Amino acid sequence: MNSEKILLKAREVFEIEIEGLSFVKERLGGTFVRLVEQACSVIDAGGKIVITGIGKSGHIARKISATLASTGAPSMFMHPVEAMHGDLGVIQKTDMLLVLSYSGESDELIKMLPAVKRFDIPVATITGSSKSSLAKYSDIVVNVSVPKEACPFNLAPTTTTTAMLAVGDAFAMVLLKLRK
């Protein structure tokens, strides 16, 4: 493969991801506003935003949590498998849970949610499927579905993780602005 073909392919990936981001940006609406408002209420009450996800969504969840923490919004990442083995103790009555899963059907997350619901805290989900199992457990659902992945087999999460990350960055920056 020559350098021209390499750059052509790389630029194609950029275009697919830009298209996906534009798609999500145009559909951002009331559920995103509710997510921000809920997070503000939680932080104002002395709580934190506990973020979870598994696989690639888990990596994005860690990054969003780190961004929130670095901008003054109390946040931490909680691994869903570890949560089911004792780490649910990090959740307090004043907290909220933010779940990231593009499919909304990750077994580890679905198995964790009934235990989380006992805390009677708000649960928000960032997902590509508003009708998923995780969405049904959630008080707030932010849909980040994208037209296609940059992966030619539509398997490796590329555009989806970019969209989740962009929504997380927007969430952190809006909270930063609102909280001064």
Side-chain angles (χ1 to χ4, degrees):
M1 188 180 264
N2 66 29
S3 60
E4 196 172 302
K5 286 183 180 182
I6 290 170
L7 292 174
L8 186 66
K9 182 60 185 169
R11 290 182 181 119
E12 179 186 324
V13 170
F14 271 76
E15 287 305 316
I16 292 168
E17 294 201 1
I18 289 168
E19 179 185 325
L21 286 174
S22 293
F23 189 76
V24 172
K25 180 182 94 171
E26 292 307 314
R27 289 189 353 262
L28 213 54
T31 57
F32 181 81
V33 173
R34 286 181 50 218
L35 173 64
V36 170
E37 290 171 345
Q38 184 67 67
C40 283
S41 293
V42 163
I43 293 167
D44 289 347
K48 65 186 169 299
I49 303 164
V50 178
I51 307 180
T52 191
I54 194 85
K56 304 303 180 280
S57 295
H59 296 303
I60 300 301
R62 283 183 207 297
K63 193 280 184 187
I64 293 169
S65 180
T67 299
L68 288 168
S70 71
T71 58
S75 178
M76 67 173 296
F77 175 78
M78 180 180 67
H79 194 285
V81 174
E82 298 299 326
M84 295 309 299
H85 291 275
D87 284 1
L88 276 178
V90 303
I91 296 176
Q92 304 298 309
K93 289 276 187 196
T94 54
D95 296 342
M96 74 177 284
L97 181 69
L98 178 57
V99 182
L100 274 66
S101 171
Y102 191 74
S103 72
E105 299 297 338
S106 300
D107 286 339
E108 299 87 349
L109 296 167
I110 293 167
K111 288 177 182 171
M112 178 190 70
L113 283 178
V116 169
K117 280 299 206 180
R118 291 189 308 229
F119 289 98
D120 196 30
I121 63 168
V123 176
T125 297
I126 297 176
T127 183
S129 176
S130 296
K131 297 182 190 299
S132 66
S133 298
L134 289 175
K136 290 174 188 167
Y137 270 103
S138 301
D139 304 300
I140 301 166
V141 179
V142 178
N143 189 323
V144 293
S145 62
V146 297
K148 69 178 184 176
E149 299 285 6
C151 171
F153 306 111
N154 209 38
L155 294 173
T158 51
T159 311
T160 55
T161 52
T162 301
M164 282 185 168
L165 184 58
V167 168
D169 284 346
F171 175 54
M173 295 305 103
V174 171
L175 279 176
L176 177 66
K177 175 94 172 143
L178 289 175
R179 298 183 64 246
K180 299 176 183 165

